[in-house]
Amino acid sequence: MTPSDDAPALAVFAPNSLPAQASPDLALQARYQSLRAASLALAAPLSPEDQQVQSMPDASPVKWHLAHVTWFFETFLLKPWLPDYEVFDPNYVYLFNSYYEAVGARHPRPARGLLTRPSLAGVLAYRAHVDAGMCRLLGAPLGRGVRDLVTLGLAHEEQHQELILTDILNLFAASPLKPAYDAGRRQPSAGGTGGFVDLPGGIVRVGAGDQDFAFDNETPLHEVLLRPYRLADRLVTNREWQAFMEDGGYRRHEFWLSDAWARVQAEGWEAPLYWERHDDGWWAMTLAGLAPVEADAPVTHVSFFEAAAFAAWVGKRLPTEAEWEHAAAARPGAFAQMFGEVWQWTASAYTPHPGFAPASGAVGEYNAKFMVGQMVLKGAARATPAGHSRPSYRNFFYPHQRWMFAGLRLASDAPAAEGSEAFQFDVLTGLAAARRRLPAKWFYDAAGSALFERICAEPEYYPTRQETALLASIAPELAACIPAGATLVELGSGASVKTRLLLDAAPQLAAYAPVDISETAVAAAAAAIARDYPALRVSPVVADFTRTWGAVGRTDGLVGFFPGSTIGNFTPDDAVELMRGVHERLGPGGLFIVGIDLAKDEATLTAAYNDAAGVTAAFNLNILARINRELGGDFDLTGFAHRAVWNRMEGRVEMHLESLRPQTVTVARSHFSFVRGETIHTESSYKHTLEGFEALAQRAGWRVARSWTSAAPAVAVVLLTPA
Ligand SMILES: C[S@@+](CC[C@H](N)C(=O)[O-])C[C@H]1O[C@@H](n2cnc3c(N)ncnc32)[C@H](O)[C@@H]1O
């Protein structure tokens, strides 16, 4: 519904050239009659004078609403589609056109209340005339396009039914008598627990597709990337709003957007619209008349400006439209008050969905031209006709407006997902990227870790052999740097094989904390080390070491150990970030031992990642098997092939999985189409020079205290100390 007029958006409808039905659509006929009668029922408690007056430019007289929705049927259905239809009064095009430029000039909106002619009786006669015409039209078999236009006209009239209540409340609130529209009318009520529901995010589908009916602004169905988020299970209450007010919410600029603060000053806002301070507390004007503000009911009649300020005050934020919509569609049972209490402001501007195309013809004016400067509201209000809204529905108003039934629901960011949710998030975002990729850390499930151990034994894979030999020869020198009682923290410890060289040379180590994302690998390795080094305290940590080291705290005497050239899997910038984090965790006395692979001839490099036995290929493909197993994917492993290439520009060996044919893969209900030859980039192994690596270490606050280089094919071990 749009404030700048009165009606909405446009439906998606098929061309009129589609064949007509064989018989009249009786269901549509019945819907037409009951919906038109409902509009009159809404006006029934109102006197002709009530229906004449316009309380402000944004609102319209009830009489005008009743005529305008009728004009819609006359203009878009009866004139073009009912042969012999006689126009009721040609002047009404000018009087009751809302804002269709294509239909011609119109009476100015702020002056609608001045239209004392036609009288209310005249408008009711106009309605009866058009209803008779519609009865004839709907009594014949109709094409799909015409039926869709009728459905649109009915949805349009439902929006005006809500506007009738919205506008009459504004009128009655201006009256010193504070009349009740309906003294028995139920007001929005309490619900929910006040807690927040966690949603994992990922790539989700929002918008409207091929469903029964949707306004054009809801289309098309499209994908959106959501970070993990939290959404409140209920609306913000009057009690909470009063706390905001009592804390000086309306007087403290720090919570308000600049335009919002200007509005607060200019209009002297100090409470929601319709609130009045009485001796016994706050009262508010409602459709049931003036009543004490009910503490646990949702706050209503607040602008976007106020909603955003409240969220800032409470340290939260408004949900985006996509967050709200996804939560409503995916977890409908988890939230109270999503529909049918008050509309809920979102943080999203009302702009076209990607791929949006306005409906053609005059009706196409309804949505597209309002897509600037307004904010989206989701849900539905008590005043919204039942069944009118849906998760994809987009209501929109200007950020300062507050006469409509609008409140808010809070949201916040959630911590990044962990475990299987993080895996799903990375897979869905990686496969949706323009250059598809999967982070290498997800190689290491039980099968992947076992395959990596086999790679280490392949003749072409020199890094493990060379690094092991180098560590064996320098272990006494490294051990001499390790203080007594220190803890060795190993990042990406895998099978903890090389670790033994250090443990043997440095019996002064008191504890060992292997940190690895592969639960099976770290558990087996830690058990074996604990058995073979009974004096050592062994505390394994299953974690993504870029995020946490579990309980391994920042204490004195921590020695970091990062062999296996795993640091080569990080881009230079990410490697700096990682080393900076390690620096922070190890503290000022920390030592960091890092294994790196050195740049060398291309043949040696590519052979290492293309072993003749095909173990690296199996390791690479295993990530697809893991996606199938853990995320219900349907990758055909015979449709992809392992590729490892040297990227000279980037200084890295890249592993890819190449699609051998055009194919579509489904993971967690998302579809990904591959053309032949398209690849998923699964791993980078940067090859460093000692100078280049030293520069990275320095950016992260480290100094290279010593380095050792193996025989060819050369790898290096570097001892870093805080700069
Ligand atoms: C190349 S292997 C090296 C294993 C062992 N350090 C070695 O030198 O033989 C990489 C290891 O790091 C682990 N790993 C990779 N990325 C990780 C991450 N982000 N967090 C924790 N472990 C990770 C893998 O599970 C695997 O065990």
Side-chain angles (χ1 to χ4, degrees), residues 441 444 452 490 492-494 498 516-518 543-545 563-564 566:
K441 65 186 175 191
Y444 299 94
F452 180 74
E490 182 170 358
S493 46
K498 294 163 191 161
D516 202 290
I517 200 165
S518 173
D544 176 343
F545 58 61
T566 306

Side-chain angles (χ1 to χ4, degrees), residues 38-55 59-68 96 112-124 127 163-165 167-169 171-172 181:
S39 300
L40 295 182
L42 281 176
L46 303 170
S47 70
E49 293 82 1
D50 292 335
Q51 299 188 52
Q52 171 63 48
V53 177
Q54 178 171 24
S55 58
S60 297
V62 172
K63 186 176 87 180
W64 188 91
H65 284 299
L66 292 175
H68 164 71
F96 300 125
R112 286 174 184 165
L114 303 181
L115 296 174
T116 53
R117 307 290 173 89
S119 64
L120 178 59
V123 166
L124 295 179
R127 283 185 73 94
L163 285 168
I164 285 174
L165 296 175
D167 293 352
I168 206 72
L169 176 59
L171 177 67
F172 284 179
Y181 165 80

Side-chain angles (χ1 to χ4, degrees), residues 141-156:
L142 295 174
R144 164 85 192 275
V146 179
R147 278 182 287 136
D148 283 345
L149 265 177
V150 177
T151 306
L152 174 65
L154 294 175
H156 171 234

Side-chain angles (χ1 to χ4, degrees), residues 440-445 449 452-453 456 461 464 467 490-498 515-518 521 543-547 562-566 569-570 683:
K441 65 186 175 191
W442 300 115
F443 277 136
Y444 299 94
D445 62 351
S449 296
F452 180 74
E453 290 311 307
C456 294
Y461 194 74
T464 304
E467 191 182 60
E490 182 170 358
L491 305 185
S493 46
S496 299
V497 174
K498 294 163 191 161
V515 184
D516 202 290
I517 200 165
S518 173
D544 176 343
F545 58 61
T546 61
R547 290 192 175 164
F562 196 20
S565 44
T566 306
N569 296 153
F570 292 77
E683 189 188 75

